Amino acid sequence: LAEAYQALQTLDPAAAQRMAATILPQANARLAADMLFFLSALRGGDVGGWLGGDTARLLRRDRPELLARLGDEFRQIGAMAREPAAGDWRIALVPFFTGAEIEQVRLYLRPYGGADDDDGTPKGVRFVIDVDLSRLGRLQLDGLARDDGKRVDLIVRTDQPLPAAMQSDIRAIFEDANALTGVVGGLSFQAAPAHFVDIAPAAGP
């Protein structure tokens, strides 16, 4: 994907700019929507549908071998997201654009709760987002979203405790999001030791 982005910068800088602005997940207000769009495209297995018709046609015309390799990797990642990687965890590798490079976010998902609807166990989806940051080091978001969509609990894990001001900012973002969506939930921080959830062998930064 990084090679395709670099190729577009040479072939058609405007197309590369559109890709960065409208397709690649990055730290902006579209992050969640862009990640969901990527995950939806993974299920379909069509990298051209994710890139957009104009971008796919440009690569097919000038760099067909690159588009073919990108399509193969896209399908491999899609298969990985469908099949449990460890236990009943599924892993999705999501691209993340830093503004200069394309990094990787590891998203793990698994069903939560028992099979018996009468056992009183809250049911939903457990998710873990794992990233390696240049300044903070490893950061992990461990969340539980209930099936009724009304509660999301989140743990933020880091090697070292986050500064108090940063924790306060994160808490404010979490509370603002809850207020906007009507969701309730709790937020906590773990560090030193972080007790990271290691679901699969750690990928490189």
Side-chain angles (χ1 to χ4, degrees):
L1 183 58
E3 189 178 345
Y5 177 66
Q6 291 170 356
L8 285 172
Q9 288 180 309
T10 300
L11 297 170
D12 188 338
Q17 187 174 9
R18 285 194 302 273
M19 179 180 179
T22 64
I23 298 174
L24 293 175
Q26 55 193 291
N28 58 23
R30 293 176 47 86
L31 175 60
D34 287 343
M35 287 181 70
L36 288 172
F37 180 61
F38 176 80
L39 293 172
S40 176
L42 270 186
R43 285 197 294 271
D46 178 16
V47 70
W50 176 62
L51 291 173
D54 292 343
T55 301
R57 280 191 293 273
L58 181 62
L59 289 174
R60 188 175 294 109
R61 184 191 69 195
D62 293 290
R63 296 292 305 275
E65 80 296 339
L66 176 56
L67 182 63
R69 283 191 287 118
L70 184 58
D72 288 342
E73 292 184 6
F74 195 79
R75 286 185 288 274
Q76 290 171 18
I77 293 174
M80 187 187 305
R82 290 189 296 272
E83 298 297 329
D88 54 356
W89 286 98
R90 287 169 171 77
I91 177 173
L93 305 179
V94 182
F96 183 85
F97 186 57
T98 66
E101 297 178 329
I102 299 174
E103 303 287 352
Q104 182 188 92
V105 172
R106 299 179 295 281
L107 171 63
Y108 304 93
L109 297 165
R110 77 172 179 186
Y112 176 85
D116 184 0
D117 290 340
D118 298 322
D119 65 3
T121 303
K123 295 173 177 61
V125 175
R126 173 99 178 270
F127 63 89
V128 172
I129 297 174
D130 215 338
V131 295
D132 294 293
L133 304 176
S134 58
R135 296 180 186 176
L136 296 178
R138 187 178 180 186
L139 183 144
Q140 190 175 79
L141 305 178
D142 185 351
L144 176 62
R146 312 294 182 179
D147 268 350
D148 60 8
K150 299 298 183 183
R151 183 175 182 89
V152 176
D153 294 301
L154 186 67
I155 301 171
V156 179
R157 297 190 176 95
T158 50
D159 282 312
Q160 300 300 321
L162 296 174
M166 189 177 292
Q167 290 192 30
S168 179
D169 287 345
I170 293 172
R171 196 175 300 280
I173 292 169
F174 184 78
E175 291 172 355
D176 287 347
N178 285 354
L180 286 171
T181 60
V183 172
V184 298
L187 173 68
S188 60
F189 297 87
Q190 285 185 0
H195 298 298
F196 289 116
V197 177
D198 288 312
I199 298 163

